[in-house]
Amino acid sequence: MKSILEAITSGDASPADFAALDVPESYRAITLHKDEEQMFAGQDSRDKDPRKSLHLDEIAVPELGPGEALVAVMASAVNYNTVWSSIYEPVSTFSFLERYGRLSPETARHNLPYHVLGSDLAGVVLRTGPGVHAWKPGDEVVAHCLSVELESADGHNDTMLDPEQRIWGFETNFGGLAEIALVKSNQLMPKPAHLTWEEAASPGLVNSTAYRQLVSRNGAGMKQGDNVLIWGASGGLGSYATQYALAGGATPICVVSNDAKADICRAMGAEAIIDRSAEGYRFWKDENNQDPREWKRFGGRIRELTGGEDVDIVFEHPGRETFGASVYVTRKGGTIVTCASTSGYMHQYDNRYLWMSLKRIVGSHFANYREAWEANRLIAKGKIHPTLSKTYTLEETGQAALDVHHNKHQGKVGVLCLAPSEGLGVRDEELREKHLPAINRFRGE
């Protein structure tokens, strides 16, 4: 690994130099162990501790197949799917690996007694497999997390509809929380030149997800003038949704849980902010019954902030806790677009407010390659900015996942993999200087 890191940090190694490097037989990676699937049995979700389930292991470098690339990972990041994996909810990810492993002799490599997690990376291509022509050793890249086989006609209009579509590092093995990752070549995109490794690694999953969910015609199709209610507006997903709303001429109504998160939304340029903790919204009377009066109170507060208008779009991801309110407050003919259920998967809402007001619920899951490419292009042009708030070492990934699990973070939490320190990898200092305040917004600098 030392020679690989030296080549990357030198800044002047050629593609031939990278091609000549020896790929090591093994590398360090954050793993789950299959024989520990039941370690949290009977515990409440919040009590499950990722520091106990996530391991830093030395594992064998996987065989490189057609259409694939091995990437030296300088930095990665923690997503909610890392948390779900680490606490074995809603199911053990080893069930994904077993299913994928049955697909073909090539995918059998993924069905192992350990699972390398991570759905983000920034790094450098080391090797490419047969059939890869767009990328070469030495290319500085980021990776989006759509792994797709594309052997079915269903995926050729939108790859997210392919029956063999998976999230890399969650439903496949050899993810980005490691020193080396195995990806399909059509996951690769150019690393934004003005960002450090850790900054460049942080947008991937959440930025692409927010783009499809809010901007793409496959999601809400946001337009200028729309009022957009954004839950968790300073979080990993919501912080990008807030930026897209502002950049696209819409008005974000940012829902947060404390003053610090409200301040971050203001720093991004948002003006309409609801601190749900300070204002005491309680959408559930008890475990089984919601409180429509609170929906109405919440809707009234939104109208105060919008000059009497309801929201055109609700950017949903908390799920069970908020979904009834989301359906209620959406304007007639509006859209509730959902990509996750971090507070619970079993949603309940009053269907009268949906059908009689001609509202739509749209499911949105990650993004196709084109959407991910467009989202990354906006990062590279300095139109949308990373929301990195804190960076951990690879050894500290368990603590990073615990912080996300308990919502102690803001924006995105990064992980240094091969990068020995923060601040490395910037190639365009002029563009960086222009956007430095926005880049550092979530760090509180």
Side-chain angles (χ1 to χ4, degrees):
M1 288 298 181
K2 182 179 178 182
S3 60
I4 292 173
L5 184 58
E6 288 175 348
I8 295 171
T9 55
S10 71
D12 57 7
S14 68
D17 293 331
F18 278 99
L21 290 171
D22 290 330
V23 176
E25 294 182 356
S26 64
Y27 65 103
R28 297 190 310 155
I30 296 297
T31 68
L32 292 175
H33 294 177
K34 189 174 183 179
D35 61 5
E36 295 179 347
E37 285 179 301
Q38 301 302 316
M39 68 183 302
F40 297 128
Q43 294 186 32
D44 184 75
S45 292
R46 188 168 179 82
D47 296 330
K48 298 177 182 179
D49 190 342
R51 295 174 300 181
K52 297 178 180 179
S53 58
L54 296 179
H55 304 275
L56 180 58
D57 291 333
E58 188 85 14
I59 66 167
V61 173
E63 180 183 349
L64 183 62
E68 295 180 340
L70 283 175
V71 179
V73 183
M74 295 298 280
S76 185
V78 171
N79 294 290
Y80 266 100
N81 70 15
T82 311
V83 175
W84 293 328
S85 299
S86 70
I87 63 176
Y88 298 102
E89 288 189 9
V91 296
S92 166
T93 55
F94 288 99
S95 63
F96 302 146
L97 303 186
E98 291 165 5
R99 190 178 309 122
Y100 192 33
R102 292 193 293 267
L103 187 63
S104 71
E106 289 77 19
T107 63
R109 292 169 296 164
H110 292 256
N111 186 14
L112 294 167
Y114 57 84
H115 187 183
V116 183
L117 303 179
S119 299
D120 285 321
L121 73 72
V124 178
V125 175
L126 294 177
R127 293 286 189 275
T128 58
V132 178
H133 307 293
W135 305 97
K136 61 183 181 302
D139 285 343
E140 296 188 348
V141 296
V142 294
H144 70 76
C145 63
L146 172 60
S147 176
V148 63
E149 303 306 311
L150 275 182
E151 290 189 303
S152 167
D154 292 348
H156 282 262
N157 193 38
D158 177 7
T159 48
M160 289 305 299
L161 298 180
D162 192 281
E164 299 297 341
Q165 167 270 319
R166 292 173 173 83
I167 298 300
W168 161 72
F170 178 59
E171 296 169 298
T172 78
N173 219 325
F174 314 120
L177 286 166
E179 294 175 331
I180 290 177
L182 178 71
V183 299
K184 293 182 184 298
S185 64
N186 59 13
Q187 292 177 240
L188 297 177
M189 304 180 294
K191 172 190 171 291
H194 67 297
L195 300 181
T196 65
W197 295 112
E198 62 275 10
E199 290 162 356
S202 66
L205 186 152
V206 286
N207 182 39
S208 300
T209 299
Y211 181 93
R212 179 181 175 107
Q213 186 177 355
L214 192 56
V215 178
S216 170
R217 61 187 178 186
N218 290 314
M222 183 191 72
K223 66 183 187 302
Q224 289 180 326
D226 279 346
N227 293 314
V228 183
L229 181 68
I230 302 171
W231 294 102
S234 72
L237 270 171
S239 57
Y240 287 96
T242 300
Q243 290 187 71
Y244 280 118
L246 290 165
T251 299
I253 297 91
C254 298
V255 184
V256 296
S257 58
N258 58 50
D259 286 339
K261 294 181 178 183
D263 287 342
I264 283 183
C265 292
R266 294 187 187 98
M268 285 190 284
E271 297 178 358
I273 298 169
I274 298 175
D275 183 338
R276 60 182 298 194
S277 298
E279 298 184 28
Y281 294 105
R282 297 290 183 269
F283 299 130
W284 288 81
K285 298 177 182 178
D286 53 47
E287 182 65 25
N288 299 309
N289 297 285
Q290 297 189 64
D291 190 347
R293 292 173 302 177
E294 286 291 88
W295 300 347
K296 187 174 183 179
R297 183 166 76 93
F298 185 60
R301 179 70 175 119
I302 291 170
R303 287 180 175 180
E304 288 177 9
L305 294 170
T306 60
E309 296 180 340
D310 292 325
V311 292
D312 301 275
I313 298 167
V314 178
F315 186 88
E316 249 288 348
H317 53 96
R320 175 180 168 81
E321 184 180 350
T322 59
F323 207 82
S326 292
V327 171
Y328 179 83
V329 301
T330 305
R331 74 162 178 83
K332 190 171 186 176
T335 301
I336 304 98
V337 59
T338 176
C339 74
S341 296
T342 54
S343 68
Y345 301 98
M346 301 303 290
H347 299 184
Q348 295 181 27
Y349 61 91
D350 189 328
N351 198 41
R352 292 172 297 177
Y353 298 114
L354 187 80
W355 107 68
M356 295 180 72
S357 293
L358 306 172
K359 303 174 186 181
R360 298 185 307 148
I361 296 173
V362 176
S364 185
H365 184 43
F366 188 58
N368 61 39
Y369 194 11
R370 184 63 186 177
E371 291 162 339
W373 189 280
E374 290 294 335
N376 184 63
R377 178 171 172 266
L378 291 170
I379 295 281
K381 292 171 74 69
K383 303 292 186 182
I384 300 294
H385 304 287
T387 62
L388 187 68
S389 61
K390 189 174 183 179
T391 302
Y392 293 80
T393 65
L394 196 59
E395 291 85 353
E396 297 169 327
T397 302
Q399 183 62 51
L402 182 67
D403 286 356
V404 174
H405 182 29
H406 288 170
N407 198 30
K408 293 181 178 179
H409 68 305
Q410 298 189 118
K412 199 70 182 289
V413 171
V415 176
L416 298 179
C417 297
L418 279 175
S421 63
E422 296 184 56
L424 304 176
V426 176
R427 309 303 181 207
D428 187 340
E429 293 285 359
E430 183 179 354
L431 184 60
R432 180 177 182 80
E433 186 64 27
K434 180 180 177 181
H435 295 295
L436 196 57
I439 292 170
N440 283 329
R441 204 155 38 198
F442 280 70
R443 292 179 178 270
E445 298 176 7

